[in-house]
Amino acid sequence: MANPLKGEVFKLYKNLLYLGREYPKGAAYFRERLKSAFMKNKDVTDPEQIQKLVARGDFVIKELEALYFLRKYRAIKKRYYDPEK
């Protein structure tokens, strides 16, 4: 893996690992899937391909954040609004 991109990949992994703590199926499930995804692509050396994979990881981060926001919104709505209406 190229040195300039190694930092980006490591940062992406750490961010995803941090976000995975609150994953609905559990942190252990998320960690296993994350590790397998990164191990599957460990032999990629083309900088352009690595950038595409990092961009996909950033997309996954945004999706996880949206998932967590929606879960919090639903909890608040359930708490303050009458479910019969």
Side-chain angles (χ1 to χ4, degrees):
M1 186 179 304
N3 283 337
L5 298 174
K6 188 174 184 177
E8 283 186 53
V9 172
F10 187 66
K11 183 177 140 186
L12 176 67
Y13 186 81
K14 283 181 67 174
N15 285 341
L16 284 167
L17 197 58
Y18 177 78
L19 286 173
R21 295 182 310 155
E22 297 180 27
Y23 195 69
K25 289 189 176 182
Y29 173 81
F30 186 85
R31 191 178 325 111
E32 289 174 18
R33 298 276 311 245
L34 179 64
K35 183 177 179 182
S36 68
F38 272 78
M39 292 302 283
K40 182 177 77 173
N41 296 311
K42 73 178 181 177
D43 296 327
V44 176
T45 56
D46 181 30
E48 187 175 312
Q49 184 67 24
I50 293 172
Q51 284 287 16
K52 286 181 183 178
L53 292 169
V54 168
R56 182 171 180 186
D58 289 335
F59 174 76
V60 170
I61 286 175
K62 290 177 186 174
E63 289 293 315
L64 283 172
E65 289 172 346
L67 175 74
Y68 297 154
F69 179 76
L70 184 60
R71 185 175 68 186
K72 289 178 184 176
Y73 171 77
R74 286 180 178 163
I76 290 172
K77 185 177 178 183
K78 186 187 237 184
R79 190 174 298 153
Y80 293 108
Y81 293 102
D82 189 17
E84 295 176 4
K85 290 184 179 180

